[in-house]
């Protein structure tokens, strides 16, 4: 019989979109503490379902359901960043529920059992849940189409009632090439897109967010590819009935990029 004093209660979990940073996030004076404070205010999840900007795979894929090595999907950093470990338990029961929720005629789900957590997943988790004692499952983004990603989120939404924390991990603005000549202040395109996104979320302007490339100022400059904004749509789909309660837990900029992170529910 499980120990009810330590077993997480199955309460409805919020859904999160967070800006995850690069491995040097761990050395920032402010951001790790912000992430830790955020998680400290959440109910303890039964499991965590991660959707990262750094895994695009079609058909939709489920990652490892047991602890396997992390994916160090970055280059040129000091060796200490490759020594980070995050051996969270696998989540085979969650994987089965995700299969049932997402598999349908014409929409297969595949398993890639040796695929570990990439830095879009483990970098924030190290700061938020450092004990690595909560089961984690990462799934791929099979598309960058915002509407299809919202539908995936809708189908995953019932997992929140089972205590599953759904996390979309990206970056609210992401154009590394355009940062080459950035000064101490964030570039105008990053600040303008961040302000527009804050207002669009506050106004629940889903149509504008779905068409951000055309509706947002500097939309295509803030996101030359959609992959770092795309996880937001999975989160929004999973929290579609609570978009009016969006809470902007983290804002500001890191190396010129908007680190806005939002909680629904």
């Amino acid at each position: 019989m499980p120990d009810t004093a330590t077993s997480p209660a199955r309460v409805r979990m919020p859904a999160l979109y967070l800006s995850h940073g690069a491995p040097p996030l761990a050395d920032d004076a402010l951001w790790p503490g912000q992430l830790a404070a955020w998680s400290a205010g959440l109910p303890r999840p039964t499991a965590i379902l991660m959707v990262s900007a750094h895994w695009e795979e079609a058909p939709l894929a489920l990652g490892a359901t047991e602890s396997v090595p992390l994916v160090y999907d970055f280059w040129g950093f000091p060796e200490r960043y490759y020594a980070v470990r995050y051996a969270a338990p696998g989540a085979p029961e969650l994987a089965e529920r995700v299969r049932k929720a997402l598999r349908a005629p014409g929409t297969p789900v595949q398993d890639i059992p040796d695929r570990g957590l990439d830095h879009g997943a483990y970098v924030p988790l190290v700061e938020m849940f450092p004990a690595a004692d909560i089961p984690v499952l990462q799934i791929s983004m099979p598309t960058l189409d915002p509407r299809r990603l919202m539908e995936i989120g809708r189908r995953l939404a019932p997992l929140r009632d089972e205590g599953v924390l759904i996390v979309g991990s990206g970056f609210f603005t992401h154009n590394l090439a355009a940062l080459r000549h950035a000064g101490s202040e964030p570039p105008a395109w990053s600040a303008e897109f961040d302000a527009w996104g804050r207002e669009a979320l506050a106004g629940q302007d889903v149509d504008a967010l779905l068409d951000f490339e055309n509706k947002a100022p500097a939309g295509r400059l803030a996101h030359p590819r959609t992959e770092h904004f795309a996880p937001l749509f999975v989160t929004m789909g999973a929290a579609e009935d609570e978009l009016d309660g969006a809470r902007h837990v983290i804002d500001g900029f890191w190396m010129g990029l908007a680190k806005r992170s939002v909680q629904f529910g």
Side-chain angles (χ1 to χ4, degrees):
M1 181 177 294
D3 181 353
T4 57
T6 58
S7 296
R10 291 199 171 193
V11 298
R12 190 173 210 227
M13 294 298 295
L16 313 183
Y17 170 81
L18 57 81
S19 295
H20 61 246
L25 175 152
D27 303 325
D28 189 74
L30 177 64
W31 202 355
Q34 292 176 315
L35 289 167
W38 189 2
S39 60
L42 298 173
R44 181 175 169 84
T46 58
I48 300 170
L49 180 61
M50 296 292 302
V51 181
S52 163
H54 296 281
W55 193 15
E56 298 174 50
E57 185 87 36
L60 186 142
L62 309 183
T65 57
E66 59 184 43
S67 294
V68 300
L70 300 176
V71 177
Y72 301 105
D73 51 338
F74 45 86
W75 300 267
F77 286 91
E79 185 59 32
R80 68 182 183 277
Y81 297 123
Y82 302 91
V84 173
R85 301 291 183 266
Y86 194 78
E93 293 180 359
L94 175 58
E96 185 56 34
R97 297 200 295 278
V98 170
R99 288 187 198 97
K100 290 178 179 177
L102 297 181
R103 185 176 285 152
T107 56
V109 175
Q110 61 174 322
D111 288 89
I112 304 182
D114 59 350
R115 210 281 183 179
L117 303 176
D118 61 47
H119 85 268
Y122 77 77
V123 164
L125 289 177
V126 164
E127 309 302 335
M128 298 179 79
F129 302 99
D133 58 354
I134 298 172
V136 178
L137 175 70
Q138 185 173 350
I139 65 173
S140 73
M141 290 190 296
T143 176
L144 294 181
D145 182 328
R147 288 171 176 79
R148 289 178 61 192
L149 291 171
M150 275 200 74
E151 178 57 29
I152 288 170
R154 291 185 190 103
R155 292 163 70 176
L156 295 172
L159 296 173
R160 295 176 55 203
D161 293 316
E162 300 178 20
V164 177
L165 180 64
I166 298 174
V167 182
S169 177
F171 225 132
F172 208 73
T173 60
H174 193 266
N175 185 340
L176 301 183
L179 289 174
R180 288 175 181 166
H181 303 291
S184 59
E185 294 298 316
W189 56 263
S190 188
E192 290 170 2
F193 185 93
D194 179 60
W196 174 86
R198 181 190 66 234
E199 294 302 319
L201 286 165
Q204 303 170 64
D205 194 344
V206 175
D207 288 339
L209 289 161
L210 289 168
D211 193 25
F212 74 92
E213 291 178 305
N214 298 307
K215 298 292 178 62
R220 296 179 188 273
L221 188 55
H223 290 284
R225 290 192 77 248
T226 308
E227 81 281 0
H228 275 79
F229 205 53
L232 173 65
F233 299 108
V234 178
T235 300
M236 288 174 59
E240 194 166 32
D241 59 341
E242 295 176 294
L243 297 183
D244 59 343
R247 193 160 65 87
H248 297 250
V249 182
I250 298 173
D251 59 13
F253 297 85
W254 188 68
M255 299 181 66
L257 301 177
K259 61 179 187 177
R260 185 167 301 282
S261 299
V262 187
Q263 175 175 325
F264 301 96

